[in-house]
Amino acid sequence: MKPTDIANPDYFHKVVDCQWACPAHTPVPEYIRLIAHGRYSDAYMINWKSNVFPGILGRTCDRPCEPACRRSRVEDENLVKGKKEPVAICRLKRVAADYKDDDDIDAKMPKAPEKNGKRIACIGGGPASLTVARDLAVLGYEIVIYDQDPKLGGFIRTQIPHFRLPESVIDEEVGYITGIGNIEFRHQRVDSMKAILAEGYDAVFVGSGAPRGRDLDVPGRKEAAANIHIGLDWLSSVSFGHIDKVGSRVIVLGGGNTAMDCCRTARRLGGDDVKVIVRSGFEEMKASPWEKEDAMGEDIPILNMLVPKEVTHKNGKITGVLFEKVKAEYDAKGRRSLVPSGEPDEHHECDDVLVAIGQENSFPWIEKDAGIEFDKWGLPKLNEKTFGSTHPKVFFGGDAAFGPKNIIWAAAHGHDGAISIHKMLIGENPEERPAPGVNVASQKMGIHEWSYDNAPTIDHRLKVPHRPKKEALKDIMAEVELGFDPQLAFKEAQRCLNCDVQTVFTGQLCIECDACVDICPMDCISFTDNGEEKDLRTRLMAPAMNPTQDLYIGNDLKTGRIMAKDEDVCLHCGLCAERCPTGAWDMRKYYMEMTQAEHACRKQ
Amino acid sequence: MTYIAKPRLHHPSLVKNKAGYTRRDYEGAVSTLCAGCGHDSISAAIIQASYELDVLPHQIAKLSGIGCSSKAPTYFLGASHGFNTVHGRMPSVMTGANLANKNLVYMGVSGDGDSASIGLGQFAHIMRRGVNMTYIVMNNGVYGLTKGQFSATADKGSISKKGVANSDEPIDLVSLAILMGATFVGRSFSGDKHQLVPLIKAAMAHKGAAFLDVISPCVAFNNHPGSTKSYDYVREHNEALNRIDFIESREEITTSYDPGTLTTVRQHDGSILRLRKLGEEYDASDKVAAMKRVQEGMAAGEVVTGLLYVDPSPKDLHHHLNTVDVALNMLGDADLCPGPSALDRINAGLRLSDTSSPCWAASLAASSGPPSCPWPWASCSPNSAAPSRARSPWAARPWAASAVPRWALPSAYGWSCGRAARAPAWCSPGSP
């Protein structure tokens, strides 16, 4: 194998699994360390810069970082009772938001400079548009955000129940953005793209989401319409106070996170017999495991392998839903299909049905001749790098761009969209994306002292305290999760392995004394003859069986061998560097942050 | 040294050996030696060898003297017996321990100061007595704890860190060990675990006095140009004669090999050492040739490594002393104080039945057969018979892949954990 090029910022970025997995590439270990230090405001600002909505995401994020977390690969089953778990990254983020010093944060927030004379329209007031607004407002652009709802926030405000995300948190974080200045909010439904373009904006960013909930198409749907609600619209109505009660027996159809929000909301609006019924198997449900867990914790059973067949009704009033029982069958290619199991149909009685079986993009307001092309799935044709549409001035982001995803993806799209718009407006090529900012610094403080807490703990993952169920179900505004307190947060933060503090090897300094090989608790390091990667992976100190994780190859050794380090299970404990007599190993922090519009452009 | 303990987390693929332990279970406390010390590598090799031999940690006794090397036993085999003796006196204590309980696996860990300077006399005598042990000298050529003065094994002409040449002749512990009667003698290098680990395994399995001289560079005081015990010097001058490829039991010689590249040493207990030839033709079982080759190497400035000498039929101290099969610490009161009838028999044996013979010893020599034998156990273990291997910790040949060694099973070691409640029948006074 060739020696590893550690000058390529991607190499060590990939080692920081959480950051690499995060769509916005938030520097996770850095803010977790700051939380452990009690520097909540600093931790908040790192998040705010990267993902714009730390308080919101700390409660609601889909957490792609957590399944990627190295911790879940290195824990000892015997010490954690068989359950290897990642660091509670998402809930630690909330700690930063909960305990930050608000005055300090206000002082750190940027302010808009003088207007530069260019105007940008953002369609939709959700996370993607808000991110674009933030990134461009600080550059002097004048931003106009259009939304049909009376307050900014989009799905964050309308779809996520307040018992999961208090409105005050949304107000605060939307406020940080509008507080920058140069941002105007128009409470106005946009019905014509042409009309917007005619207003002479220099660029238009479409962050209008995927607002249409898929409907149920079975016999009886029309007759019982009064008691059948589309989940998305229903949640929105609950959010704005238009709906405040539901029947006592409720069936929620669908297995995504919207279904989980619907059923838990129904529990709080008078539903005491609430069930979730899904077509697929329990394991294949789209809802996040923790959301399913929370729903079941509120006495909501999840019934699976049931396909709705008919809505039963009497005198124009719903009586229940009839389901066909199915089983999963797999064809030769491993594709699953649901076929009738042959068992008798099941009837479930109910007073209300909430339909949460998916959401779709919908652009009825974009005229066919507006210059924006769509593909056969009804999604805009976009440049995947720039998010630019076929209209040179129009960019897309968030759910509107590639279909329904989540808040963190919307924020990531927003940053990228802002870069594209800015580059376009200053006459640069938006296709040339800025490299991330990387700051490398040795963490050595003394002979055996590092600037980070390098001793890994063996604690298992801590649970976030919840409000007692009785209390929580009584009040739809009462937040269920209470969040970590500083003591719990410290303990959980200590579980982080500091994967951003990298083991950096300098072959010229190595005397091949084997000290690092002997001390490495994970048997990551080997000195051996070079070979092809496939062969090399099998003959290291311990086999490197995770091909998604790189081997770090160092050369320039006197014996002509190579140093091969399996990044997969490295604890970043720094013992290799501590035992190294010559400093051939060093622990260096790679602080990587994505470059945003503010610093992305104007090549020298 | 490090300020944090080695984390308990381990590689997910870490496996247990036949004794039920992972390699990590053979580790000790985190080392306080200097970073890069060769001794830590030797510790790691001992850990690896013990793990691969499936030896039960509590069946090992590690003894050491004073010095950096003698600190090292703290850093490996944390669950084994340990004894840190007076400077240079480890061989005496080990001899005594071995006499009292021959069922343990003995490992002496010492340094060039401890063994070649203050303990040279002890070193010579433990070798000539043939104590069944593995004696490892972590040899760095300097007194590291007192900041790098030349030790007795430093080569003449070797330059100190301050730039002064050594004017004294070195003591070559390998030559001395062979000369003194050690039956397994090897030399290796802390920076070459591929050679070192099998050597330690073979030494631990050897049933006699096994000595390993392991060159172990002192990074703090003896790893500079001009030193003959630095990483660079040893790598450049290493003349490896052979490498132990594997050890196998008599029952399962299945591996085919090219006879031109391997030398076979068939040992008395039936096990076979396969030595991979590296270069020249070398017969490790020829004692005189071994001494010659080692001396030639020294004259040529080579560091001759590998298994230098092995006696395939070693005899150990207990054999020389003709002790009973059972470990002496296991003998109960009934064995040690057999009572008046046994005394009567002894006395009768000493009484002159023939007045023409004035010497009681002659009477003893003349008496024959168990009934008149004065010592109840002497009759049970005649000198000529091979020791009963059924109760030896090595009987099951732990390197044999097919069988779990008897002494690795809890039921097999119960008897060694304390005195037997009742002495075995074959060991009690025989005659009515």
Side-chain angles (χ1 to χ4, degrees), chain A residues 71 73-76 78-79 84 448-449 454-458 497 511-515 517-523 541-543 558-559 561 566 569 571 573 575 578-581, chain B residues 1-14 16 23-24 27 30-38 40-42 44-45 48 190-194 219 223 231-232 235:
Chain A
R71 179 102 202 168
R73 298 198 298 275
V74 302
E75 287 203 322
D76 180 344
N78 300 322
L79 297 176
K84 296 180 172 191
H448 301 293
E449 211 181 342
N454 60 325
T457 63
I458 52 172
L497 297 170
I511 57 170
E512 298 174 69
C513 66
D514 271 5
V517 178
D518 297 333
I519 197 69
C520 178
M522 306 306 280
D523 303 325
M541 279 289 288
K558 276 188 183 153
T559 58
R561 298 184 296 173
D566 179 12
V569 290
L571 298 178
C573 62
L575 281 178
E578 277 194 29
R579 298 299 302 175
C580 183
Chain B
M1 63 174 287
T2 52
Y3 285 168
I4 64 167
K6 191 165 171 174
R8 284 170 68 191
L9 302 173
H10 56 77
H11 195 273
S13 74
L14 195 68
K16 288 181 175 171
R23 178 166 47 76
R24 299 288 305 274
E27 289 177 352
V30 75
S31 172
T32 60
L33 296 168
C34 308
C37 180
D40 284 329
S41 281
I42 303 173
Q48 183 71 28
S190 68
D192 184 3
K193 284 208 199 62
H194 290 297
V219 278
N223 194 38
Y231 281 106
D232 288 348
R235 284 211 171 92

Side-chain angles (χ1 to χ4, degrees), chain B residues 33 39 64-73 75 84-85 87-88 109-114 138 140 143-146:
Chain B
L33 296 168
H39 296 4
S64 62
I66 296 294
C68 296
S69 62
S70 298
K71 274 158 63 93
Y75 316 133
N84 207 190
T85 74
H87 204 354
V109 177
S110 182
D112 37 323
D114 197 53
M138 301 178 171
N140 57 17
Y143 300 135
L145 277 188
T146 53

